Amino acid sequence: MSDLSAGSCEPCRIGAPLLSDDELATLSSQIPEWKIIEIEDVKQVTRQFGFKNFVEAIAFANKVGEIAEQEGHHPAILVEWGSTSVTWWTHKIKGLHNNDIIMAAKTDVLFSE
């Protein structure tokens, strides 16, 4: 796994800088399964995880919720039968911050356990 997964989120205030395109390209190469999307002009990083059934999908969502609480940074999570989608972005700055990439890497670690 990437070194990003060992990182911690830092407090992010309104006005904190968004990741530049160059920073995003460098960091996203360390989380290759994630897609960069844009919704209403807000860049986000998202990934869909596959499972055998709903029970496994919801259990994974709960694990993601636990690390989100530990780090004080919360994603959008969609749970469906056999699938959990996780989307990270920083609401306060309306886009992507280093915290989001760290949390994506931490989410990957959870999935590989």
Side-chain angles (χ1 to χ4, degrees):
M1 281 296 131
S2 73
D3 292 338
L4 287 170
S5 64
S8 293
C9 289
E10 62 183 58
C12 188
R13 293 183 169 80
I14 294 172
L18 296 166
L19 288 175
S20 70
D21 289 339
D22 289 340
E23 290 169 322
L24 188 53
T26 300
L27 291 170
S28 64
S29 70
Q30 296 179 58
I31 53 165
E33 300 295 321
W34 292 79
K35 295 178 186 173
I36 307 301
I37 61 171
E38 197 165 315
I39 298 175
E40 296 180 6
D41 297 324
V42 177
K43 284 186 182 174
Q44 303 173 18
V45 61
T46 191
R47 180 175 174 191
Q48 183 174 358
F49 299 87
F51 298 95
K52 293 178 186 174
N53 53 48
F54 186 79
V55 172
E56 289 182 10
I58 196 80
F60 180 72
N62 287 329
K63 288 180 183 179
V64 174
E66 288 174 18
I67 64 166
E69 274 299 296
Q70 290 169 5
E71 292 290 337
H73 193 56
H74 304 91
I77 302 173
L78 173 64
V79 179
E80 302 175 275
W81 188 95
S83 168
T84 301
S85 297
V86 180
T87 305
W88 294 99
W89 77 99
T90 301
H91 299 81
K92 285 184 181 178
I93 61 173
K94 297 184 176 133
L96 291 172
H97 184 272
N98 194 54
N99 291 346
D100 303 301
I101 307 304
I102 288 170
M103 294 307 291
K106 287 181 180 291
T107 306
D108 282 344
V109 169
L110 286 178
F111 184 65
S112 66
E113 292 177 341

